[in-house]
Amino acid sequence: MKKALIVSLILFLFIRCKKEDAVAAQISKIETNVSVERFDRAFAKAKPNELGKLKTTFPYLFPNRIPDSAWIERMIDSNQLQLNTATNEKFGDFKSETNEIENLFQHLKYYDKTFSEPRVITLTNFVRYREKVVVTDTIVLIAIDNYLGEDYDLYAGIPKYIAQEMKPSQIVVDLAEAYSERQIFQYRKKTFLDEMIYFGKQLYFKDVMIPFKSDAEKIGYTPQQLQFAKENEDMIWTQFVENEMLFSTESSLTARFIADAPFSKFQLELDAETPGRLGQYIGWQIVKAYMENNDIPFKDMLQKDAVEIFNESNYKPPK
């Protein structure tokens, strides 16, 4: 009996791998037309008398409420000049980032036949790291001064747990996250479980759309933080269950385990050793278990109720 189960498992894994390989081959053949427009470079090179030309080419970047004098002043601002130099040195021709964006768009096209490539425009925004990317049906804006590496001088006042994600490899991760927010439906987000499953869906969306990125990059952890989450998954889950957190509507749980933070707050001695957002990590594992244990299309899962996903996931953390 044991031998038969092992053989069945091996056969199942073989068939699944073959299916995944076939999908990957189809995705790689999808044609995309990605051309990144470097507004950051155009603005860095422009003279005050060329502002009108810039406004004609990129009208949506020049709101009427901001006078031309403010843009001309920005052209000679010392911080802006520093960002011009830094972004040019860091990204050069933006080729590797463009390749990853193209790969993301291939996956989006495969899973959504209505998707068409938007204009992709890079710019700087004086390191407003809460506004790194903007995604619409027709335009993608990427503020590349937010991806210069966690040790960049202008990031000195930014908390380390935020700065660690401000590097070039996270651009396509942030874009995938922005696209996930446009496709995930959740009827309500009232309980801690609702929050966990929402972000679990978001992270699973990244599994599907950017499989070329590591799990650490998808969730914004260092390799060491991801290893902690994996090694302590059973402990984390036990804390959530024994303290009756899953169906709690206590808003503090979001701050303790879902929101960006330097560490998660179990109110235990080990807190300082933990990464933040462990509720997101557990939600990810629940959604993974749901997809492994149920025959359901990926896009249908994005619309499912959190309680239904949890109940049908048969999630059990590894011991």
Side-chain angles (χ1 to χ4, degrees), residues 188-205:
R188 66 184 189 281
K189 283 193 338 187
K190 296 181 179 178
T191 68
F192 182 48
L193 179 66
D194 292 334
E195 293 281 358
M196 286 200 298
I197 297 300
Y198 176 84
F199 286 98
K201 288 178 179 181
Q202 196 175 83
L203 286 158
Y204 193 87
F205 185 94

Side-chain angles (χ1 to χ4, degrees), residues 52-70:
K53 185 178 178 180
L54 276 180
K55 292 173 72 173
T56 300
T57 307
F58 304 96
Y60 36 82
L61 296 181
F62 293 90
N64 292 331
R65 68 179 183 277
I66 299 178
D68 288 358
S69 58

